[in-house]
Amino acid sequence: MKPMRATIRSVLTAIALCLALATPLHTSAAQETVPDGPTTAPTSAAETHDLAGLVSRLPKASYNEKSELAGAIAETGNPRVELILSSFSAGRLQATKEGRVVIALKDDGPYEDALTGDKLGMMEGIRLKKVRVNNRLRGELHGLVARLALSSPDASIRRHAARETFDAADPDSLPSIEKALSRETESDIAETLRQARAAIILKNGVVDEEGQLAAIETLRDRGDLEALNALLGLDKSDNLVLRESAASAVRSIKRTLEYWDVAQNVYYGLSLGSVLLLAAIGLAITFGVMGVINMAHGEMIMLGAYTTYVVQQVLLAVAPSLMSVSLIISIPAAFIVAGGAGILIERTIIRFLYGRPLETLLATWGLSLILQQAVRTIFGPTNKPVVAPDWMSGAFQLGQLTITSSRIWIIVFSMIVLAVLMAFLKYTHFGTQTRAVTQNRKMAASMGVRTNLVDALTFGLGSGVAGIAGVALSQIDNVSPNLGQSYIIDSFMVVVFGGVGNLWGTLVGAMTLGVANKLLEPFAGAVVGKIVVLIFIILFIQRRPRGLFALKGRFVDA
Amino acid sequence: MTLELSRSLLYLDDITVSFDGFKALNALSLLIEPGEMRAIIGPNGAGKTTMMDVITGKTRPDEGSAMFAGRHDLTSMDEARIANLGIGRKFQKPTVFESHTVWDNLLLALKDSRGVFGTLFSSTSASQKEAIEELLETVHLTDASMAMAANLSHGQKQWLEIGMLLAQDPQLLLVDEPVAGMTDAETAQTAQLLRKINETRSVVVVEHDMTFVRDLDVKVTVLHEGSVLADGSLDHISSNERVIEVYLGR
Amino acid sequence: MIFHRLKHISWDLALGVYVTLLVLAIAVPFFNLVVPEGSAFHLSTYMVTLLGKYMCYALLALALDLVWGYCGILSLGHGAFFALGGYAMGMYLMRMIGPRGVYGDPVLPDFMVFLNWKELPWYWLGFDIFPFAMLMVVLVPGILAFAFGYLAFRSRVTGVYFSIITQALTFALLLAFFRNDMGFGGNNGLTDFKDILGFDIQSDATRSGLFIVTIAALAAGFAICRAIVGSKLGKVLLAVRDAESRTRFLGYRTDRYKLFVWVVSACLAGVAGALYVPQVGIINPSEFAPANSIEAVVWVAVGGRGTLAGAILGGVLVNIFKTWFTGALPEFWLFALGALFVLVTLLLPRGIIGTALHYREKHLEKKASEDNAFDEIAPEQPHDEAQEELERAGA
């Protein structure tokens, strides 16, 4: 999953770079070919308050003039102003040969009239020319739009706009910020506005020392990366007091950011931990409860992931409307597929090998090879796409933490699976029988428990849970024949580390390893971090051969 | 106290072992004199096996001291060291080396160098052969000496294990339920064998079989909930009301 | 678990191994070097190298059998020792390239020049001296095995727990050796070797020489293992395998015994890896892959664990099968290998040699009992017959 994501990231970066490089080149070329000749006499834009006039002059104006015109347009107070300016900055303001200015609602239309909002359809056959923008102008337009939005009646628009003004730190918006502050009722928006004002003050030194010191205070309280950047600008200030105050604020923010960084890594760790938990939880049953070394456990996870893929393909063909709940449908499906496979394996192979753990290990390893190759033969060796439903994609910000929805869902999901499984083993008749058989097979058998059946079903349960894990992992990992392999060692580590036969141990083991891994990563690197964790586990098992939550007692060694 | 210690072969004082809060042994004290044979009885869970575990170093006590021959602190030694001190243990379930012959089982048990390189270059001396022949005689396995231990009958395995203990030449033998699963004839033979062994060594026998204990005719200690409930002759014990309550009467 | 008995059988089996190896050591170079290339009996150098590879695998299998078959320690990480021995040899071969590398640096291997390293890391020093490199071939795996085994056996990590941490060990090494800054060529490993002890590594004569050395190493390894297994120490090992705690109560420090064979086994695996590298011409981190180590286990299982000869047979047989299969039906190889694992453990737990010995033994027993039935006044019974009689009575 990592290489894949890294690739995507680097591709995106490359695209962004190309764009950044290409844009100025493009515009300068445009300037050469379409010279902004003195054909349009420079009129003071402020004189005209006529929106139509201002807009109609845009296509042929120079960049400097465009900037002035945009300012004038903003001041007309016309309700269409916001749409015009934001379309302008997005490059969607276009003009016909006759000088009619239109707005592209999407990249290739439909279009509407910029002034009246009349729907113009796709405007096929008509040549349109973009009203060009450069980066400087785009920045100004952003500021204008944000200033306009500051007075929007909708609080969420104002909140967004306040953030934008902070990012832009445009001194021109200072008056509108003051104005907005005076009537803002939402305290968080007001706070952002004050921070925006502080950033502008510091950037442009528009007020006296006292005001600037107050601004530093405000930014220190904000305490994030943007605040840090704003403060770093004061490094070279001639004013010693100011410089020291800023430096101390920078230190304070850096410390805060470090805490957030650790928190973010802990979150990543918990997220990884829940992935490990999901992968290991089935093993905690087959290995932990039954004592069966199932090296094909990873392949049970893989079967679950492929089931998810198949379910989605079927839904796509049969009932596309159900796609948004495809994952929910996949859960029972994966449980049945993997659980069924598990029962089959138990009946045909493992039951002949009870009490011979090393042989079980070898036979199930062989089985894992067969399953991998079977899936490769049927589905091909390439990754299969599994679509994430809308409610699982996206991310949100919690303080300085970036939290992706899919990860949160996996954490929640793993907890649910664990809880259900524990309740199942504890409160159902089947659970009691399972525990009876694993504790004393002969006694259970003589009390009428059908041990063969219980064995098969318990193994099926463990495998089925692995299948469910596969559904979740299909969301964050590549669905390929090798999916299972990457989890098998980790899963064993978790179960062994946590203590065999104890689901709580599995939980703590998974979370500890997950968090340890992620906390090590920043300064050890991913690979070394993993090695360190592996070595740690090896050493740990030396000290406590039976894991974190070992069952103690006189029967343990028997 | 010190006098007791110096007189004793095995001296357990105030031993406590707990597993997850459950006290398997609770301030157990026990004293075995050189040359003594002692029978230990007690209901299931009384702590008999745990006591053996503590003496042989398999389990470390949470509290208390265990001394051997008045000067060796057993609580700080591992199994191998304790075995080499001269404490032999026979398990409840006979454990012999099934893929070795009876002869090799005894050879491995025979007192000799236990070092890795010692065994790598060792060869069996004439005196060792003689010792093994003698042991085979003692445990009635001469005819089976080249049989694989796996193929022995249950009783034969018990004897082989006792033979292995003797081969170690221990001062103290711990014997856990030696007659479980034996025929009456075998039981009688075993009692005889233990008495013979007792001529030169101390023996501690844990047993459920009252006939067998009566046969042995030695001092009996009753364990209950991890500590000593009573000790004395079997007749004395049998008349003790608390013993009747927790064990015999039930 | 009764795989070992009848000593007379194991002796003629051993003789068979020695004779076969001797025949191979003479015949293979003969048909390669002496028989002219046009002849139908000519053995190609490719085949010589292939056979040499099989012999290396056989030595690895032998090492594995010593710990698994005789001491019950199932290692899923023996490939790590194999690869470490291989890397030690690879480092010697790299240093022998000298200025003939692509970048022509007299000391630094190409990949270091490529990484812009200025001088040789300290752990590469001395590897240009052949005896030193050969010492490292044995020492590096030996020391790792000692450290790992010391910790594991002392804290009584046994059974599958031990197996799993050996797997983790080789996995950790796999990740580590993939890293460029480890200084072992990262992903690509060590390759482009030129010569060994001054002999051109590509020449037919060198290839045959390497083959003979490999056979000799295998024979020596076999002799060492037999000596260990046949000694009283070998009896202790079996005792540990069958009832470790009993052995301990007899006064044996079982952890030291396990440590001893574990280290010996790791050294043998290292030698196997060292002989493997000059023949295949490359060593890279994939040799550390856990799958390789587990595959080696199945060789031993197929041949018959706890028989030594079986390990050699399994190592060679499974790999011949693999060469043929991956050539003929590459996409089905994993099916075949997987099925091999399952079928051997379910249907042939003793392996080929183990099963053969078992039936031979049965046969002898039957014959002996028939003889006894006809001959009631048994003359002085040798021990074997006494035992069989007892078995009959006992059964």
Side-chain angles (χ1 to χ4, degrees):
Chain A
M1 61 183 177
K2 263 170 209 148
M4 171 81 173
R5 197 161 307 142
T7 322
I8 292 179
R9 197 176 301 145
S10 53
V11 167
L12 286 178
T13 320
I15 293 174
L17 262 172
C18 292
L19 285 177
L21 286 172
T23 317
L25 276 174
H26 191 168
T27 45
S28 63
Q31 270 169 331
E32 273 172 44
T33 47
V34 191
D36 300 312
T39 41
T40 344
T43 336
S44 170
E47 281 170 18
T48 343
H49 282 268
D50 168 26
L51 183 64
L54 293 169
V55 170
S56 66
R57 279 163 55 197
L58 273 178
K60 296 214 165 143
S62 72
Y63 282 111
N64 284 337
E65 288 163 3
K66 277 177 181 164
S67 157
E68 279 179 38
L69 285 168
I73 289 172
E75 272 166 38
T76 57
N78 185 300
R80 291 207 49 87
V81 162
E82 204 184 329
L83 182 63
I84 293 170
L85 292 180
S86 57
S87 305
F88 187 17
S89 80
R92 285 191 180 153
L93 202 63
Q94 304 181 1
T96 61
K97 230 176 178 176
E98 297 78 34
R100 180 176 197 184
V101 182
V102 298
I103 291 172
L105 294 176
K106 280 185 185 157
D107 277 341
D108 302 314
Y111 299 87
E112 66 176 43
D113 190 280
L115 294 168
T116 60
D118 292 341
K119 300 283 175 244
L120 300 171
M122 301 305 290
M123 298 189 74
E124 274 162 56
I126 302 168
R127 270 198 65 197
L128 288 169
K129 211 171 165 191
K130 266 186 191 166
V131 181
R132 295 196 187 281
V133 274
N134 62 10
N135 280 345
R136 186 177 59 85
L137 186 58
R138 201 173 285 123
E140 286 175 16
L141 288 169
H142 271 297
L144 284 175
V145 172
R147 258 175 267 153
L148 283 171
L150 280 179
S151 51
S152 160
D154 184 341
S156 66
I157 292 179
R158 290 205 306 279
R159 190 171 290 121
H160 186 75
R163 279 191 204 130
E164 293 234 313
T165 32
F166 178 89
D167 292 342
D170 177 3
D172 294 347
S173 46
L174 210 47
S176 40
I177 290 175
E178 297 286 2
K179 205 161 81 193
L181 254 178
S182 64
R183 55 167 188 253
E184 185 53 68
T185 49
E186 302 280 329
S187 63
D188 67 309
I189 302 178
E191 185 58 35
T192 313
L193 286 172
R194 270 191 290 279
Q195 289 160 358
R197 183 176 59 185
I200 294 166
I201 287 171
L202 290 183
K203 191 169 165 191
N204 304 286
V206 284
V207 292
D208 57 1
E209 184 181 310
E210 207 171 312
Q212 293 204 26
L213 284 176
I216 289 174
E217 247 353 87
T218 313
L219 285 182
R220 179 212 291 263
D221 292 345
R222 177 173 163 123
D224 64 357
L225 208 61
E226 284 83 28
L228 187 68
N229 286 336
L231 285 168
L232 283 176
L234 290 178
D235 244 9
K236 295 177 186 68
S237 166
D238 299 331
N239 187 326
L240 197 68
V241 183
L242 223 52
R243 209 162 63 200
E244 272 180 8
S245 169
S248 107
V250 163
R251 276 196 299 280
S252 147
I253 291 177
K254 274 189 175 158
R255 212 172 311 125
T256 322
L257 283 179
E258 266 165 31
Y259 291 135
W260 281 113
D261 229 33
V262 171
Q264 180 83 61
N265 281 326
V266 168
Y267 166 71
Y268 285 148
L270 290 178
S271 153
L272 175 67
S274 58
V275 169
L276 290 177
L277 176 63
L278 273 175
I281 204 165
L283 201 69
I285 295 176
T286 52
F287 177 49
V289 178
M290 297 178 76
V292 172
I293 311 296
N294 181 16
M295 295 301 272
H297 174 77
E299 279 59 43
M300 298 293 119
I301 298 176
M302 176 195 72
L303 284 184
Y306 271 92
T307 308
T308 315
Y309 166 71
V310 171
V311 165
Q312 288 200 345
Q313 294 303 306
V314 170
L315 285 181
L316 213 55
V318 181
S321 58
L322 289 178
M323 273 307 273
S324 61
V325 289
S326 66
L327 286 191
I328 293 168
I329 298 174
S330 300
I331 291 171
F335 183 82
I336 291 167
V337 169
I343 290 175
L344 198 66
I345 293 167
E346 200 276 341
R347 285 290 85 188
T348 53
I349 296 176
I350 289 172
R351 72 170 162 141
F352 301 108
L353 298 171
Y354 281 122
R356 290 158 65 196
L358 298 181
E359 277 88 346
T360 315
L361 189 155
L362 295 178
T364 48
W365 172 265
L367 203 67
S368 79
L369 295 181
I370 295 174
L371 285 171
Q372 276 172 40
Q373 189 57 41
V375 166
R376 199 173 287 126
T377 309
I378 297 170
F379 294 97
T382 51
N383 297 339
K384 291 292 167 204
V386 172
V387 187
D390 296 338
W391 45 270
M392 266 190 72
S393 43
F396 60 92
Q397 203 72 24
L398 186 78
Q400 304 289 308
L401 297 184
T402 310
I403 296 186
T404 44
S405 303
S406 60
R407 296 269 166 183
I408 279 285
W409 276 111
I410 283 179
I411 293 179
V412 172
F413 185 68
S414 67
M415 293 302 142
I416 294 174
V417 172
L418 181 70
V420 168
L421 201 60
M422 276 175 150
F424 183 77
L425 285 178
K426 193 160 183 186
Y427 297 115
T428 63
H429 186 60
F430 172 69
T432 318
Q433 289 196 339
T434 304
R435 283 180 292 138
V437 170
T438 51
Q439 276 167 27
N440 192 332
R441 175 172 297 273
K442 275 187 195 149
M443 182 67 89
S446 61
M447 290 179 73
V449 177
R450 289 160 68 193
T451 55
N452 277 344
L453 186 70
V454 171
D455 283 338
L457 292 181
T458 311
F459 196 81
L461 175 69
S463 306
V465 171
I468 291 180
V471 178
L473 296 185
S474 72
Q475 291 303 303
I476 53 164
D477 207 340
N478 297 329
V479 179
S480 78
N482 301 326
L483 172 76
Q485 269 191 324
S486 43
Y487 289 102
I488 183 72
I489 290 186
D490 283 344
S491 303
F492 269 108
M493 289 298 136
V494 166
V495 175
V496 169
F497 178 65
V500 171
N502 187 328
L503 287 178
W504 285 113
T506 310
L507 171 67
V508 176
M511 291 304 164
T512 313
L513 294 186
V515 172
N517 228 324
K518 287 295 170 188
L519 286 182
L520 279 172
E521 247 173 46
F523 44 91
V527 174
V528 175
K530 193 153 176 76
I531 294 173
V532 169
V533 169
L534 273 179
I535 291 173
F536 164 74
I537 295 173
I538 291 175
L539 290 177
F540 180 84
I541 294 176
Q542 318 276 5
R543 289 233 56 82
R544 298 193 61 171
R546 296 187 184 275
L548 215 49
F549 288 76
L551 296 171
K552 274 197 276 177
R554 59 188 202 139
F555 299 110
V556 165
D557 286 298
Chain B
M1 204 66 144
T2 44
L3 186 72
E4 272 187 345
L5 179 61
S6 61
R7 218 154 42 83
S8 68
L9 179 66
L10 178 69
Y11 176 85
L12 300 184
D13 186 33
D14 209 22
I15 298 270
T16 300
V17 173
S18 44
F19 298 121
D20 287 335
F22 163 73
K23 282 195 173 163
L25 290 182
N26 190 1
L28 173 79
S29 298
L30 186 77
L31 192 148
I32 306 289
E33 290 175 22
E36 190 188 348
M37 166 129 71
R38 178 77 62 94
I40 299 202
I41 61 173
N44 274 332
K48 292 166 303 197
T49 303
T50 311
M51 182 191 78
M52 296 260 203
D53 285 348
V54 168
I55 298 170
T56 52
K58 192 177 174 193
T59 302
R60 297 250 174 276
D62 301 332
E63 276 170 57
S65 60
M67 303 295 281
F68 182 67
R71 58 181 187 278
H72 302 292
D73 179 9
L74 297 178
T75 58
S76 65
M77 299 178 184
D78 65 3
E79 293 102 318
R81 180 110 187 264
I82 291 173
N84 290 331
L85 272 181
I87 298 181
R89 177 177 185 179
K90 205 201 95 36
F91 289 92
Q92 196 168 332
K93 188 171 159 257
T95 36
V96 292
F97 305 125
E98 305 226 322
S99 42
H100 279 311
T101 59
V102 169
W103 179 278
D104 282 346
N105 265 285
L106 290 172
L107 176 67
L108 284 174
L110 212 57
K111 201 169 190 174
D112 194 3
S113 157
R114 297 296 203 233
V116 173
F117 294 99
T119 52
L120 182 58
F121 299 112
S122 96
S123 56
T124 317
S125 69
S127 66
Q128 283 180 318
K129 278 182 186 148
E130 220 168 280
I132 293 173
E133 299 284 358
E134 220 170 278
L135 284 164
L136 285 168
E137 200 83 16
T138 315
V139 293
H140 313 294
L141 286 171
T142 310
D143 291 341
S145 77
M146 280 303 134
M148 301 300 281
N151 297 333
L152 297 180
S153 74
H154 181 78
Q156 283 175 317
K157 280 184 191 168
Q158 296 276 30
W159 282 335
L160 173 57
E161 201 180 1
I162 293 175
M164 288 162 73
L165 290 189
L166 293 177
Q168 277 180 271
D169 191 22
Q171 288 172 270
L172 173 66
L173 247 87
L174 305 174
V175 191
D176 203 348
E177 301 202 18
V179 297
M182 278 192 182
T183 61
D184 286 352
E186 285 172 330
T187 306
Q189 267 183 316
T190 307
Q192 205 184 348
L193 180 60
L194 284 180
R195 271 197 300 271
K196 191 176 159 206
I197 292 167
N198 184 225
E199 285 165 14
T200 48
R201 311 157 208 278
S202 304
V203 180
V204 174
V205 188
V206 167
E207 190 46 78
H208 274 303
D209 187 329
M210 282 305 145
T211 340
F212 178 71
V213 173
R214 191 167 293 278
D215 255 14
L216 288 177
D217 188 26
V218 292
K219 188 173 170 185
V220 177
T221 297
V222 185
L223 290 192
H224 176 55
E225 291 179 350
S227 42
V228 175
L229 186 69
D231 53 13
S233 72
L234 187 60
D235 291 327
H236 172 77
I237 299 285
S238 314
S239 57
N240 183 316
E241 276 184 24
R242 288 211 57 208
V243 174
I244 295 170
E245 191 187 320
V246 304
Y247 188 38
L248 300 171
R250 231 193 298 218
Chain C
M1 287 299 245
I2 317 161
F3 297 150
H4 312 277
R5 13 195 335 189
L6 309 184
K7 301 244 154 51
H8 50 282
I9 289 185
S10 79
W11 173 236
D12 58 40
L13 195 60
L15 199 64
V17 170
Y18 288 128
V19 170
T20 314
L21 291 180
L22 186 67
V23 169
L24 278 173
I26 296 169
V28 168
F30 177 82
F31 286 109
N32 175 243
L33 298 177
V34 182
V35 177
E37 224 163 288
S39 160
F41 295 102
H42 176 75
L43 197 65
S44 70
T45 306
Y46 170 77
M47 282 303 291
V48 175
T49 304
L50 198 62
L51 288 173
K53 233 170 83 177
Y54 295 159
M55 294 302 132
C56 295
Y57 289 143
L59 185 53
L60 175 61
L62 190 68
L64 203 53
D65 193 25
L66 183 64
V67 285
W68 186 33
Y70 290 88
C71 202
I73 304 169
L74 174 56
S75 167
L76 298 184
H78 251 50
F81 304 126
F82 183 83
L84 285 174
Y87 265 98
M89 175 61 100
M91 286 159 80
Y92 164 74
L93 295 173
M94 283 310 259
R95 296 292 308 268
M96 287 303 104
I97 296 174
R100 285 170 291 175
V102 176
Y103 295 106
D105 190 294
V107 178
L108 293 185
D110 279 348
F111 72 88
M112 289 187 191
V113 182
F114 183 74
L115 290 174
N116 223 353
W117 290 17
K118 294 297 168 225
E119 56 184 272
L120 214 55
W122 62 267
Y123 47 82
W124 273 77
L125 297 176
F127 274 91
D128 48 338
I129 306 160
F130 186 74
F132 177 81
M134 291 310 100
L135 189 65
M136 288 300 128
V137 160
V138 181
L139 269 189
V140 172
I143 288 171
L144 176 69
F146 183 86
F148 184 84
Y150 176 78
L151 288 167
F153 298 137
R154 200 192 49 162
S155 38
R156 300 190 184 171
V157 181
T158 52
V160 287
Y161 290 88
F162 186 84
S163 304
I164 289 168
I165 61 169
T166 53
Q167 196 182 11
L169 171 79
T170 192
F171 187 61
L173 284 169
L174 171 76
L175 294 178
F177 273 75
F178 261 123
R179 292 162 51 82
N180 273 330
D181 41 3
M182 274 288 282
F184 296 107
N187 210 354
N188 302 323
L190 311 175
T191 188
D192 288 335
F193 309 132
K194 304 288 185 222
D195 49 32
I196 178 166
L197 285 172
F199 301 104
D200 176 9
I201 208 159
Q202 306 289 352
S203 80
D204 291 357
T206 313
R207 288 297 163 108
S208 283
L210 282 169
F211 180 80
I212 293 171
V213 171
T214 311
I215 292 271
L218 183 56
F222 185 64
I224 291 171
C225 288
R226 268 180 52 82
I228 291 174
V229 168
S231 71
K232 188 177 171 191
L233 185 138
K235 292 186 206 289
V236 178
L237 293 182
L238 277 195
V240 169
R241 185 190 76 186
D242 291 348
E244 180 166 3
S245 107
R246 186 90 205 86
T247 320
R248 228 180 262 138
F249 284 119
L250 281 184
Y252 291 97
R253 292 251 146 76
T254 56
D255 48 340
R256 296 188 188 168
Y257 285 83
K258 287 158 97 175
L259 189 59
F260 173 75
V261 276
W262 176 248
V263 171
V264 169
S265 172
C267 294
L268 286 177
V271 171
L275 290 166
Y276 176 80
V277 168
Q279 302 189 62
V280 298
I282 185 170
I283 174 81
N284 63 28
S286 67
E287 294 296 336
F288 285 106
N292 284 8
S293 296
I294 301 186
E295 211 178 304
V297 173
V298 93
W299 306 339
V300 180
V302 167
R305 70 188 157 111
T307 61
L308 296 182
I312 296 179
L313 181 72
V316 174
L317 223 52
V318 175
N319 280 297
I320 291 177
F321 180 59
K322 181 177 183 176
T323 308
W324 171 76
F325 212 106
T326 45
L329 297 160
E331 62 272 37
F332 289 101
W333 164 241
L334 281 183
F335 283 129
L337 183 64
L340 200 59
F341 271 100
V342 175
L343 295 178
V344 165
T345 42
L346 282 183
L347 306 177
L348 201 68
R350 288 186 174 88
I352 296 169
I353 300 265
T355 308
L357 288 180
H358 179 71
Y359 280 110
R360 183 158 162 188
E361 187 185 323
K362 274 269 173 72
H363 176 72
L364 283 176
E365 258 170 40
K366 208 173 141 204
K367 219 175 104 196
S369 65
E370 275 166 5
D371 289 353
N372 278 356
F374 287 116
D375 187 3
E376 282 198 340
I377 324 151
E380 283 183 78
Q381 282 188 349
H383 288 313
D384 279 351
E385 288 178 37
Q387 160 208 331
E388 267 123 34
E389 187 178 63
L390 188 120
E391 272 175 13
R392 203 155 34 101

